[in-house]
């Protein structure tokens, strides 16, 4: 019987997922003291890093109880391995000149190499989400892995970018779908196998380039026509935007994910749809994560809360102004937007202030959601009360968080985990509609 493997965890793993120590099956874990020291710096605050740091510390303290950590470690739980805290160790003599700076990454790597050298015959690997540390470990001959527990499979991720299916149908079926009294057809007339809920289609007339958009409605058990819609002066400019409006204005779909590059209209469509349906909700909340370089809180910025957050929330105000510009300043629609802002029926606020709230009967838009971890996404969605609709928008190829990528961020995560649920719909917007210049830059630069 093979010996359990040993995994040495980097700080960013437990800051990404405070339950990470329970995701390594029956293998043993080593936590360098340098990780404890780093996590201690993050424990204060209300953001996700602070939450994960505190959660990890509490879990580790619960495991240890009144005991010390013996060399073999303490059991993590039933069916799981052992865990121990390892004091810092120096690099082997051959590497002391290579890694001269006394920084946490080097102390963690040196400890991992010590664990490897003192456990002959056992596979030992350093687990880190930091690409730079992984490269240094490889250069030093140390086995290293990324933390892959919540990573979306590459195949599933690629499928999410091409989820719209295209079929060429006969004129009788297209006539029934497009002009029939129900503007829908039995799914068996289009596909041989029953579709998943909210499967999207582009259906073409046989012998013609003309096409229509459609969606499988699991409640009606039919493929229904996706009609062109307009919301608060904003019209869909392409088929994907037409499908996005259909999802955003469908009360039965409580969770919508919109992904796509810059200028595809993700946030604008979501905001316009929210304003169009404002009578159906008690409040419209628009938010986005605040990504600040370095381990700094917004407190270091001058001014009050509103002044501090203004630079981060300005893109959301820009989208609101685009909608207002569709109308004259004296129009009922423009005055209604001003009134909603004044009465706080329409609220634009940082995501950090959402934690702990119960969001009942509101239309909640989260912009730049690709900068959220899977755990943060789950935390937000579990805030949803009765009658709430949540919309996540973002570009999974434009991530500002150092330890996330296109397959490990929260936006990709919900697309995989909730795929096929009747109350969830995902639309990938391909075509940029901001300007010809913006479209050209996205393609060529």
């Amino acid at each position: 019987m093979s010996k359990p493997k040993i995994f040495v965890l980097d700080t960013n793993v437990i800051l990404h997922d405070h339950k990470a120590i329970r995701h390594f099956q029956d293998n043993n874990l080593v936590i360098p003291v340098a990780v404890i020291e780093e996590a201690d710096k993050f424990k204060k605050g209300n953001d996700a890093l602070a939450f994960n740091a505190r959660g990890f510390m509490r879990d580790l303290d619960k495991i240890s109880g009144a005991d010390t950590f013996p060399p073999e470690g303490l059991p993590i739980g039933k069916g799981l391995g052992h865990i121990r805290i390892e004091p810092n160790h120096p690099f082997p003599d051959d590497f002391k000149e290579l890694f001269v700076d006394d920084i946490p990454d080097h102390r963690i790597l040196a400890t991992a190499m010590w664990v490897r050298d003192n456990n002959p015959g056992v596979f030992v690997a350093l687990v880190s989400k930091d690409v730079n540390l992984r490269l240094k470990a490889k250069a030093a001959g140390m086995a290293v892995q990324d933390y892959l527990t919540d990573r979306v499979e590459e195949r599933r991720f690629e499928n999410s970018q091409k989820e719209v299916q295209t079929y060429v149908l006969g004129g009788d079926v297209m006539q029934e779908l497009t002009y029939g009294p129900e503007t829908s057809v039995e799914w068996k007339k289009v596909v041989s196998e029953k579709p998943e809920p909210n499967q999207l289609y582009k259906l073409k007339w046989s012998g013609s380039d003309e096409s229509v958009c459609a969606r499988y409605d699991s409640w009606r058990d039919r493929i229904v026509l996706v009609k062109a819609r307009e919301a608060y002066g904003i019209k869909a400019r392409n088929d994907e935007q037409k499908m996005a409006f259909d999802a955003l204005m469908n009360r039965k779909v409580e969770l919508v994910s919109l992904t796509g590059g810059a200028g595809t209209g993700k946030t604008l469509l979501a905001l316009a749809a929210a304003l169009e349906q404002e009578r159906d909700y008690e409040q419209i909340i628009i938010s986005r994560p605040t990504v600040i370089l370095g381990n700094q809180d917004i407190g270091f910025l001058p001014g009050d809360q509103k002044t501090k957050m203004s630079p981060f929330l300005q893109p959301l105000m820009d989208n609101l102004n685009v909608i207002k510009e569709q109308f004259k300043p004296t129009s009922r629609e423009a005055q209604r937007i001003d009134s909603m802002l004044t009465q706080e029926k329409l609220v634009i606020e940082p995501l950090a202030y959402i934690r702990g709230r119960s969001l009942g009967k509101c239309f909640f838009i989260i912009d730049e959601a690709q900068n959220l971890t899977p755990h943060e996404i789950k935390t937000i969605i579990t805030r949803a009360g009765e009658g709430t609709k949540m919309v996540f928008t973002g570009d999974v190829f434009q991530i500002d968080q150092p330890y996330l990528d296109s397959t490990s961020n929260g936006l990709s995560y919900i697309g995989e985990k909730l795929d096929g649920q009747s109350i969830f719909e995902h639309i990938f917007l391909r075509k940029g509609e901001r300007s010809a210049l913006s479209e050209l830059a996205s393609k060529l630069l």
Side-chain angles (χ1 to χ4, degrees):
M1 183 176 179
S2 61
K3 295 181 179 179
K5 300 174 183 178
I6 298 177
F7 293 104
V8 182
L9 302 192
D10 188 10
T11 314
N12 50 62
V13 174
I14 58 100
L15 292 179
H16 178 80
D17 179 5
H18 72 277
K19 296 182 179 179
I21 61 175
R22 301 184 179 277
H23 295 157
F24 287 86
Q25 299 177 338
D26 60 348
N27 297 300
N28 297 323
L29 303 179
V30 172
I31 308 296
V33 164
V35 169
I36 304 296
E37 293 170 344
E38 274 202 293
D40 186 62
K41 299 176 183 177
F42 288 92
K43 67 182 181 182
K44 296 180 181 178
N46 297 316
D47 60 6
L49 295 180
F51 175 83
N52 285 331
R54 293 192 297 267
F56 168 72
M57 294 297 190
R58 284 194 293 265
D59 200 9
L60 201 58
D61 184 58
K62 183 179 179 181
I63 290 172
S64 62
D67 299 327
T68 59
F69 284 93
E72 69 276 10
L74 293 171
I76 300 172
K78 185 177 180 181
L80 302 176
H82 288 65
I83 189 170
R84 76 176 192 266
I85 297 176
E86 186 64 43
N88 296 331
H89 293 280
F91 279 106
D93 292 339
D94 295 344
F95 295 95
K96 286 182 178 179
E97 296 300 321
L98 181 60
F99 303 108
V100 294
D101 294 332
D102 183 21
I103 58 176
D105 279 1
H106 290 173
R107 294 198 291 270
I108 293 169
L109 177 55
T111 301
M113 295 175 71
W114 184 92
V115 172
R116 177 199 61 188
D117 296 341
N118 284 269
N119 289 273
V122 179
F123 176 82
V124 179
L126 171 63
V127 182
S128 175
K129 296 193 69 62
D130 186 341
V131 176
N132 288 343
L133 181 56
R134 293 206 301 267
L135 291 174
K136 289 180 180 180
K138 292 176 182 178
M142 178 75 205
V144 64
Q145 297 180 7
D146 191 0
Y147 179 65
L148 303 176
T149 298
D150 51 15
R151 180 180 292 273
V152 177
E153 293 181 21
E154 199 70 33
R155 175 183 59 83
R156 297 290 297 272
F157 173 71
E158 291 175 356
N159 288 343
S160 72
Q161 310 302 304
K162 51 183 180 183
E163 76 287 343
V164 179
Q165 298 180 7
T166 302
Y167 292 96
V168 178
L169 302 177
D172 54 339
V173 177
M174 292 294 286
Q175 189 79 18
E176 180 183 358
L177 173 65
T178 310
Y179 302 111
E182 294 188 52
T183 57
S184 66
V185 295
E186 293 183 26
W187 60 265
K188 294 179 181 179
K189 294 183 179 181
V190 179
V191 293
S192 57
E193 295 184 2
K194 189 170 184 176
E196 290 190 340
N198 300 315
Q199 172 62 54
L200 301 174
Y201 298 96
K202 286 185 181 180
L203 305 178
K204 296 183 178 181
W205 295 76
S206 178
S208 172
D209 292 333
E210 187 179 354
S211 66
V212 297
C213 299
R215 172 180 58 85
Y216 174 65
D217 188 328
S218 58
W219 285 281
R220 297 175 61 184
D221 197 27
R222 295 171 69 86
I223 291 178
V224 300
L225 180 68
V226 172
K227 302 176 182 179
R229 296 198 185 198
E230 177 179 341
Y232 232 81
I234 302 297
K235 298 179 180 179
R237 295 187 178 183
N238 55 53
D239 287 343
E240 282 77 24
Q241 289 192 354
K242 188 187 298 183
M243 294 173 180
F245 262 148
D246 180 69
L248 291 166
M249 301 178 75
N250 184 350
R251 291 296 301 273
K252 292 182 178 179
V253 177
E254 299 176 15
L255 180 62
V256 178
S257 166
L258 300 181
T259 61
T264 51
K266 306 178 294 295
T267 310
L268 182 65
L269 294 174
L271 182 52
L275 292 172
E276 184 70 21
Q277 304 171 88
E278 57 96 5
R279 290 182 177 82
D280 298 329
Y281 298 93
E282 294 180 357
Q283 193 174 42
I284 298 171
I285 303 176
I286 318 166
S287 189
R288 62 182 344 207
T290 54
V291 180
I292 304 175
L293 295 177
N295 182 26
Q296 292 178 307
D297 191 76
I298 62 170
F300 82 96
L301 296 172
D304 57 17
Q305 176 188 325
K306 185 175 181 180
T307 305
K308 292 174 189 287
M309 297 311 306
S310 180
F312 301 103
L313 304 182
Q314 188 56 45
L316 301 177
M317 287 300 302
D318 291 342
N319 280 283
L320 186 61
N321 290 331
V322 169
I323 295 175
K324 287 182 67 176
E325 289 170 0
Q326 307 298 311
F327 310 99
K328 294 181 180 180
T330 57
S331 66
R332 181 182 62 84
E333 291 83 359
Q335 291 179 352
R336 180 58 184 157
I337 292 176
D338 292 335
S339 175
M340 283 191 286
L341 286 169
T342 302
Q343 299 173 8
E344 295 191 345
K345 172 87 184 267
L346 172 60
V347 178
I348 301 177
E349 63 183 17
L351 198 55
Y353 295 93
I354 300 299
R355 182 181 293 277
R357 292 181 57 182
S358 179
L359 305 170
K361 205 173 183 183
C362 74
F363 196 111
F364 190 20
I365 302 170
I366 302 91
D367 194 28
E368 302 290 347
Q370 78 276 3
N371 287 319
L372 297 171
T373 67
H375 177 76
E376 288 174 313
I377 288 275
K378 179 181 178 180
T379 301
I380 294 167
I381 295 176
T382 54
R383 297 293 95 202
E386 194 69 32
T388 288
K389 188 183 187 85
M390 287 194 167
V391 181
F392 291 89
T393 71
D395 180 0
V396 295
F397 297 107
Q398 296 291 329
I399 295 175
D400 300 313
Q401 293 283 22
Y403 304 131
L404 299 179
D405 59 31
S406 59
T407 60
S408 65
N409 68 88
L411 193 55
S412 297
Y413 184 74
I414 60 170
E416 181 199 35
K417 296 300 182 182
L418 298 179
D419 183 41
Q421 300 298 315
S422 59
I423 62 172
F424 171 73
E425 187 167 348
H426 166 72
I427 300 94
F428 175 55
L429 301 169
R430 297 180 180 276
K431 187 178 180 183
E433 296 290 352
R434 185 170 289 165
S435 67
L437 176 60
S438 174
E439 175 77 359
L440 183 66
S442 295
K443 288 182 179 180
L444 302 181
L445 298 182

